[in-house]
Amino acid sequence: MAVKARLNRETLVSTALDLADAEGLDAVTTRRVAQHHGVTPMALYRHFRDKEEIFDALAERLLAQVALPEPDHRPWHEQTRDVFDAFLAALRPHPAVAGLVLNRVLTSEPGLALAERTLSLLAEGGFPVDQAAETGSQALCSLVTLVITEPGRGDGPDPETRDGTVRAKRAALAALPPRRYPHVVAAADALASCASDDVYYARGTAMIVAGIRSGPATADRAATGG
Amino acid sequence: MAVKARLNRETLVSTALDLADAEGLDAVTTRRVAQHHGVTPMALYRHFRDKEEIFDALAERLLAQVALPEPDHRPWHEQTRDVFDAFLAALRPHPAVAGLVLNRVLTSEPGLALAERTLSLLAEGGFPVDQAAETGSQALCSLVTLVITEPGRGDGPDPETRDGTVRAKRAALAALPPRRYPHVVAAADALASCASDDVYYARGTAMIVAGIRSGPATADRAATGG
DNA sequence: ACCTGAACACCGTTCAAGT
DNA sequence: ACCTGAACACCGTTCAAGT
């Protein structure tokens, strides 16, 4: 702490991100960020209008890490999966911050670039504009949720605490009355933790892409109550 | 405020829920809940260990509102859709609280009942236990996210403020450079608001169910990098 | 058993002031 | 332009005490 360089937006955001990664989003307070730079809390207000704007910048930082693959000539759904993978790759290192992205994709340049690309691919897939908007938003939000709720990430980032909560959670599920919750008890392991993160994300992405590919027809049938 | 009846868990949770519905989750503070009952903040600690436990109880309250349909003899995926509809019906009236459910399905009786039913249907659909766990969790979380991010619900519940933020959001998107963001600009309406809530949720649910029905085969192909 | 009162260590944010 | 200092209105939570 007490770094002496002149204050600026980007270094402050880096500090906030470090704090969130290390101790969770609640640790990102104006006072702690300021303290880390050896500065009064009010010094931040020269660079951010309020705390919400710090959160906006955190979300933007994550979105800026999305390395969108170049468009190519493969089918739209394969390219879509690659875009989703790039999105996940940016979110996964910062699970405590990922949730901030949920409502902030459309308010920064890198988020808009991601949205534009997604909508473009869905248009290629035959979606009308309005449905592409809903479908794309839902898909991106589901990917965020995948990261937020990744099984086995208790709450804190300490691998020790994490292991403890996972074990406790699994034990709690395994101890449930098996007559009443047979499937939950049988799935206790998978519900508490996660055999392989990569498989978890691959399956999740596959499921989302498959849902998208079911496309307009299925959705319209459902929307009219069929 | 200053209701005089003796304090108990359920009325306190009701107060917390009302506060959240009216002013958002941040309005749910120990002090305000206490004040609403004409009581010292510390009076709550006889009924809840800490604030987290109030949030747990809020999530449980929502899950208790899920009216699970009776099992019948229709195909598993149709029954799954009905279970999801019941879940959505419970969440939609309380969008400010819905997010609390994300990590709390497996820690209360009504949540476990929902999980058990979901896993049971997925087992009927041919999913192996572990994959059913992941798929079911992801589906339920996606439904929660659908409610949290419903387009057109700005932040507050005031229909006036909401209309303003929707209009501002749409204007901001429509004013983007159309050469750079052609699809975003074209979809500004659908991205900012939502033509019909029911269609939005019907399509969202259809997409999730379709993703599930794509099932083990698709997922395994993706997981092994195919 | 149930609630109070005072206190502590925190918040975000304002305002006026320094350099 | 950039930062400080003091203050305000809030938080969640503890501890000891009342009845």
Side-chain angles (χ1 to χ4, degrees), chain B residues 6-7 39-40 42-43 46-47:
Chain B
R6 189 85 136 335
L7 244 40
V39 118
T40 277
M42 287 320 301
R46 194 65 39 180
H47 304 273

Side-chain angles (χ1 to χ4, degrees), chain B:
Chain B
M1 17 192 113
V3 179
K4 340 184 92 182
R6 189 85 136 335
L7 244 40
N8 68 67
R9 228 167 183 276
E10 288 313 311
T11 51
L12 288 170
V13 173
S14 296
T15 301
L17 186 56
D18 291 345
L19 272 170
D21 288 343
E23 304 180 42
L25 194 60
D26 288 345
V28 179
T29 69
T30 56
R31 294 175 123 94
R32 289 198 63 186
V33 171
Q35 179 192 359
H36 195 274
H37 287 267
V39 118
T40 277
M42 287 320 301
L44 307 194
Y45 284 70
R46 194 65 39 180
H47 304 273
F48 301 93
R49 204 167 51 87
D50 54 17
K51 199 188 175 184
E52 194 68 9
E53 213 172 278
I54 300 182
F55 284 169
D56 293 345
L58 276 174
E60 179 169 358
R61 170 70 66 90
L62 256 59
L63 287 162
Q65 299 296 318
V66 177
L68 286 177
E70 288 299 317
D72 54 40
H73 294 293
R74 290 174 304 143
W76 66 275
H77 55 87
E78 292 185 18
Q79 297 191 58
T80 299
R81 201 187 59 190
D82 288 350
V83 168
F84 290 174
D85 284 343
F87 188 37
L88 280 176
L91 297 176
R92 286 177 61 179
H94 309 286
V97 177
L100 294 176
V101 172
L102 271 182
N103 301 302
R104 292 177 172 89
V105 172
L106 299 174
T107 55
S108 67
E109 197 282 320
L112 286 166
L114 171 65
E116 175 63 27
R117 184 64 173 284
T118 303
L119 292 181
S120 160
L121 287 166
L122 291 178
E124 207 177 314
F127 282 83
V129 237
D130 285 13
Q131 199 177 335
E134 280 184 12
T135 301
S137 300
Q138 181 178 355
L140 295 181
C141 289
S142 291
L143 290 165
V144 171
T145 307
L146 224 48
V147 174
I148 295 176
T149 64
E150 181 188 320
R153 153 158 33 255
D155 277 313
D158 322 346
E160 190 179 342
T161 309
R162 221 170 76 168
D163 243 47
T165 51
V166 166
R167 230 185 301 274
K169 197 169 184 178
R170 175 168 41 221
L173 293 175
L176 288 169
R179 298 264 308 201
R180 186 156 191 181
Y181 305 111
H183 295 88
V184 172
V185 171
D189 277 11
L191 288 171
S193 180
C194 190
S196 153
D197 288 359
D198 289 334
V199 170
Y200 166 82
Y201 283 110
R203 283 182 182 166
T205 307
M207 182 167 142
I208 292 168
V209 172
I212 293 175
R213 292 187 67 184
S214 75
T218 304
D220 282 346
R221 242 185 286 132
T224 53

Side-chain angles (χ1 to χ4, degrees), chain A residues 6-7 39-40 42-43 46-47:
Chain A
R6 187 93 130 331
L7 244 44
V39 119
T40 278
M42 288 319 301
R46 194 65 41 179
H47 305 273

